[in-house]
């Protein structure tokens, strides 16, 4: 049911038509086969499986390269919010995660009683609230908990929704005024989540320990997990001192994955970006960005005419809230206390110490991933988007392997198999929104993923990230593909900063000889970075 537009058909057997003659003018005589396949494709029982709302929504995105979002530097448009809100899976998983976290918190007696009826007071912080889908998911989760005793509510929540986009804040406040379930429960705060000490409501939470957040909920993940600066944002929230010591973060962790991809189409599309204006606001008359910048920029894409040649492998992960040692924790608390002091004109002192967490060096990463020879060339992973198909992988494994020509066997590998060409790498992620810590409840968890081996079927909020190679690399039979990648960051004098990725690839033969290697892409963030 995830085939959608990626359906392929192989016609084999004895031909039932006459071979073309010299007078055929290039016609193959196979039109009847094509017509019959189109007829089969149009049948209702086939169309209702393949032409889902999801596949129709994806149709215009197939192999279309998009620049990753800059959620901190730019305010998202309502059209972008609306697309994300249509996801039928993501917010159900968030609802489940919040519900599990609240139930576990009650079982662990983490929450105080707040009235004579013994209701538990739960403080939920929603950071990056957008137009409110996360708030609705939280409210639905809490309502599900309260349904356990319809005559007496179990939980009395307080939800703080933080959003920096002024247009989205207006939308949230309109919901707050007209939605009965939001009244006296949801408080909307217009603020950058990393600078909680700049808002009086959040300052009062920081100064009053019982009012701090029991649960912090966010949807800051990018297609590569951390590429939209979720680590920096959530570290900033933690640094401000607005979370309780035992606060639960949703998501709790996320892991980035990489896999080689073979796709002349994606490579050509990336090269074509060289003729696009350097600044999108310049229009057609703008200065072209050039080939170097185009081929050193990661792109979000729904791959279609592509083949993921190996099973994806993990790169690095992030966990929230961060566990810090006692000495460092005391330093964080002192920074938050310093930021709480105000001058006579209301400006916040110590803002630099509060924001320092945004550029902590431990958010930098480095990985060297090896992809050993795979005779199936990742057949089960398909185009790199969608669930891993173990049946296809099994069929590919069982197929006879063609003999290798001498030109293909320069890696000194097996005497049979086929070579491939790698045009770049696809980046995906797997996130654990919540995993129960209680003994015996290990199965109580909620996850979302776009990595093929753990793909969340039906979810379409994220497409993979394509990291192109300036020049494609030929991978002879038996050779290993090695990708080295860095996540780097720097700061600037005005308190801002950048985060960027650098990557390169090598092809290594059987005797560990380097057959070929790529350039280092995007050194120093010269072609692409994400603004803090």
């Amino acid at each position: 049911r995830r085939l959608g537009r990626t359906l392929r058909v192989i016609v084999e057997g004895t031909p039932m038509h006459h071979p073309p003659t010299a007078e055929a003018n290039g016609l193959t005589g196979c039109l009847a086969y094509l017509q019959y396949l189109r007829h089969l494709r149009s049948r209702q029982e086939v169309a209702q499986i393949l032409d889902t709302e999801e596949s129709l929504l994806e149709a215009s995105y197939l192999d279309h390269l998009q620049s990753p979002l800059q959620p901190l530097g730019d305010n998202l448009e309502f059209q972008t919010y609306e697309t994300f809100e249509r996801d039928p899976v993501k917010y159900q998983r968030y609802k489940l995660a919040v519900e599990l976290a609240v139930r576990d918190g009650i079982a662990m007696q983490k929450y105080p009683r707040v009235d004579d009826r013994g209701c538990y007071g739960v403080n939920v912080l929603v950071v990056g609230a957008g137009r409110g889908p996360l708030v609705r998911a939280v409210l639905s989760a809490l309502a599900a908990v309260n349904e356990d005793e319809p005559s007496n509510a179990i939980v009395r929540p307080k939800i703080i929704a933080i959003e920096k986009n002024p247009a989205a804040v207006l939308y949230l406040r309109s919901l707050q005024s007209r939605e009965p379930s939001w009244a006296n429960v949801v408080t909307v705060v217009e603020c950058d989540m990393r600078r909680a000490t700049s808002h009086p409501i959040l300052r009062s939470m920081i100064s009053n320990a019982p009012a701090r957040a029991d649960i912090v909920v966010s949807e800051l993940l990018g297609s590569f997990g951390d590429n939209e600066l979720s680590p920096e944002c959530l570290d900033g929230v933690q640094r401000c001192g607005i979370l309780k010591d035992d606060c639960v973060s949703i998501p709790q962790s996320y892991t980035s994955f990489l896999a080689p991809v073979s796709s002349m189409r994606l490579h050509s599309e990336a090269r074509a970006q060289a003729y696009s204006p350097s600044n999108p606001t310049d229009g057609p008359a703008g200065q072209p960005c050039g080939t170097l910048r185009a081929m050193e920029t990661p792109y979000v894409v729904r791959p279609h005419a592509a083949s993921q040649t190996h099973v994806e492998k993990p790169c690095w992960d992030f966990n929230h809230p961060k566990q810090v040692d006692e000495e460092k924790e005391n330093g964080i608390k002192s920074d938050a206390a310093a930021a709480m002091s105000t001058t006579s004109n209301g400006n916040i002192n110590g803002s630099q110490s509060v924001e320092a967490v945004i550029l902590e060096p431990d958010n930098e990463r480095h990985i060297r991933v090896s992809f050993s020879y795979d005779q199936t060339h990742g057949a089960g992973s398909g185009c790199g988007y969608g669930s891993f198909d173990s049946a296809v992988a099994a069929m590919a494994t069982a197929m006879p392997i063609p003999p290798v020509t001498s030109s293909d066997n320069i890696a000194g590998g097996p005497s049979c198999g086929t070579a491939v060409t790698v045009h770049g790498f696809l980046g995906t992620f797997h996130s654990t929104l919540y995993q129960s810590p209680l003994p015996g409840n290990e199965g109580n968890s909620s996850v979302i993923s776009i990595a093929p081996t753990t793909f969340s079927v039906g979810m379409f909020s994220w497409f993979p990230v394509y990291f192109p190679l300036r020049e494609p690399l030929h991978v002879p039979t038996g050779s290993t593909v090695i990708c080295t990648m860095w996540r780097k960051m720097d700061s600037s004098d005005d308190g801002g900063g950048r985060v960027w990725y650098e990557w390169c690839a090598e092809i290594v033969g059987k005797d560990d000889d380097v057959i070929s290697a790529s350039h280092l892409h995007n050194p120093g963030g010269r072609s692409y970075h994400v603004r803090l």
Side-chain angles (χ1 to χ4, degrees):
R1 292 179 180 272
R2 282 287 310 153
L3 288 173
R5 305 293 174 174
T6 63
L7 181 64
R8 297 288 189 271
V9 178
I10 298 177
V11 180
E12 57 185 1
T14 304
M16 303 298 292
H17 66 285
H18 297 291
T21 62
E23 293 77 21
N25 295 323
L27 297 178
T28 63
C30 296
L31 180 60
Y33 299 105
L34 180 60
Q35 290 173 334
Y36 186 65
L37 288 173
R38 287 173 175 169
H39 164 69
L40 292 178
R41 179 64 176 81
S42 65
R43 294 183 60 167
Q44 183 177 359
E45 60 267 32
V46 176
Q48 67 183 6
I49 293 177
L50 299 183
D51 293 336
T52 62
E53 180 183 358
E54 178 185 354
S55 65
L56 294 175
L57 181 66
E58 293 175 353
S60 60
Y61 295 101
L62 299 181
D63 295 327
H64 174 67
L65 303 185
Q66 307 172 69
S67 296
L69 297 175
Q70 296 267 4
L72 293 186
D74 304 326
N75 289 323
L76 301 183
E77 299 178 354
F78 269 33
Q79 181 180 0
T80 304
Y81 285 126
E82 186 175 351
T83 301
F84 293 156
E85 291 166 9
R86 294 172 63 184
D87 194 308
V89 174
K90 177 173 63 173
Y91 296 110
Q92 286 297 321
R93 300 287 174 89
Y94 267 96
K95 174 190 172 183
L96 175 61
V98 174
E99 182 178 348
L100 291 174
V102 172
R103 291 188 187 278
D104 284 351
I106 293 174
M108 298 165 65
Q109 299 182 347
K110 290 174 54 176
Y111 309 132
R113 305 275 187 171
V114 293
D115 60 20
D116 296 337
R117 295 181 297 173
C119 290
Y120 295 99
V122 181
N123 301 325
V124 182
L125 191 67
V126 179
V127 293
R131 300 200 311 174
L134 276 184
V135 177
R136 294 190 189 94
V138 172
L139 289 169
S140 297
L142 296 171
V145 174
N146 285 332
E147 285 176 359
D148 291 348
E149 292 192 26
S151 60
N152 184 24
I154 300 174
V155 174
R156 179 177 292 179
K158 290 184 179 179
I159 301 174
I160 307 297
I162 301 178
E163 176 55 50
K164 72 175 182 63
N165 185 345
V169 170
L170 288 175
Y171 191 90
L172 289 171
R173 286 176 175 158
S174 69
L175 292 175
Q176 186 183 19
S177 62
R178 74 171 189 266
E179 293 286 344
S181 60
W182 289 48
N184 303 320
V185 175
V186 180
T187 301
V188 178
V189 173
E190 183 176 2
C191 175
D192 187 323
M193 69 184 76
R194 300 166 296 169
R195 298 168 178 83
T197 54
S198 65
H199 197 281
I201 293 178
L202 303 181
R203 285 206 302 269
S204 67
M205 291 179 62
I206 296 171
S207 60
N208 180 16
R212 295 174 188 166
D214 297 293
I215 301 173
V216 58
V217 186
S218 63
E219 54 172 335
L220 307 170
L221 298 173
S223 297
F224 198 42
D226 56 81
N227 63 302
E228 292 185 11
L229 307 186
S230 177
E232 286 70 33
C233 292
L234 293 179
D235 288 352
V237 172
Q238 183 178 1
R239 180 83 175 191
C240 291
I242 200 171
L243 309 181
K244 291 182 178 178
D245 292 339
D246 58 355
C247 179
V248 172
S249 174
I250 299 176
Q252 288 182 328
S253 65
Y254 37 93
T255 302
S256 302
F257 287 82
L258 270 181
V261 63
S262 179
S263 175
M264 190 62 196
R265 175 67 180 273
L266 294 183
H267 195 263
S268 299
E269 289 289 325
R271 281 197 172 276
Q273 301 300 312
Y275 304 100
S276 301
S278 299
N279 188 342
T281 60
D282 290 345
Q287 181 70 25
C289 71
T291 301
L292 178 65
R293 180 174 173 183
M295 299 305 293
E296 292 190 340
T297 297
Y299 301 96
V300 174
V301 64
R302 165 56 168 98
H304 175 63
S307 176
Q308 181 175 309
T309 60
H310 298 71
V311 174
E312 72 276 4
K313 289 191 175 182
C315 296
W316 49 66
D317 55 27
F318 290 91
N319 298 274
H320 301 286
K322 277 188 174 175
Q323 300 298 316
V324 294
D325 56 46
E326 185 175 352
E327 180 179 353
K328 188 173 181 180
E329 184 176 7
N330 291 334
I332 290 176
K333 290 180 178 178
S334 65
D335 285 345
M340 286 294 295
S341 63
T342 56
T343 60
S344 58
N345 61 6
N347 292 329
I348 298 173
N349 291 328
S351 58
Q352 289 184 346
S353 62
V354 172
E355 296 167 15
V357 73
I358 302 168
L359 298 170
E360 282 186 346
D362 58 359
N363 279 345
E364 293 192 342
R365 296 288 190 272
H366 168 241
I367 192 69
R368 181 179 171 88
V369 189
S370 296
F371 300 92
S372 301
Y373 174 70
D374 176 6
Q375 70 178 42
T376 69
H377 299 310
S381 301
C383 63
Y385 181 75
S387 296
F388 183 87
D389 195 325
S390 56
V392 172
M395 286 190 292
T397 303
M399 289 180 64
I401 304 174
V404 176
T405 62
S406 57
S407 61
D408 264 348
N409 202 28
I410 59 174
S415 60
C416 54
T418 54
V420 296
T421 300
V422 169
H423 296 89
F425 297 88
L426 290 180
T428 53
F429 77 91
H430 174 97
S431 174
T432 299
L433 297 179
Y434 182 77
Q435 172 70 57
S436 176
L438 297 179
N441 285 1
E442 291 80 4
N444 290 347
S445 64
S446 179
V447 301
I448 54 176
S449 175
I450 62 169
T453 52
T454 57
F455 190 82
S456 298
V457 177
M459 188 175 69
F460 55 79
S461 287
W462 295 276
F463 295 146
V465 170
Y466 172 52
F467 294 93
L469 292 175
R470 285 162 57 184
E471 298 295 336
L473 295 179
H474 179 72
V475 185
T477 302
S479 57
T480 298
V481 181
I482 298 178
C483 178
T484 306
M485 182 169 282
W486 295 262
R487 185 186 197 266
K488 292 190 174 183
M489 50 180 44
D490 65 12
S491 60
S492 60
D493 295 336
D494 60 2
R498 307 180 304 151
V499 174
W500 70 94
Y501 299 96
E502 300 176 10
W503 66 96
C504 61
E506 299 170 275
I507 308 302
V508 178
K510 183 179 179 181
D511 298 326
D512 294 332
D513 297 328
V514 177
I515 300 171
S516 59
S518 73
H519 298 86
L520 176 63
H521 293 66
N522 198 33
R526 66 184 179 186
S527 299
Y528 169 81
H529 63 266
V530 186
R531 302 189 302 274
L532 283 166

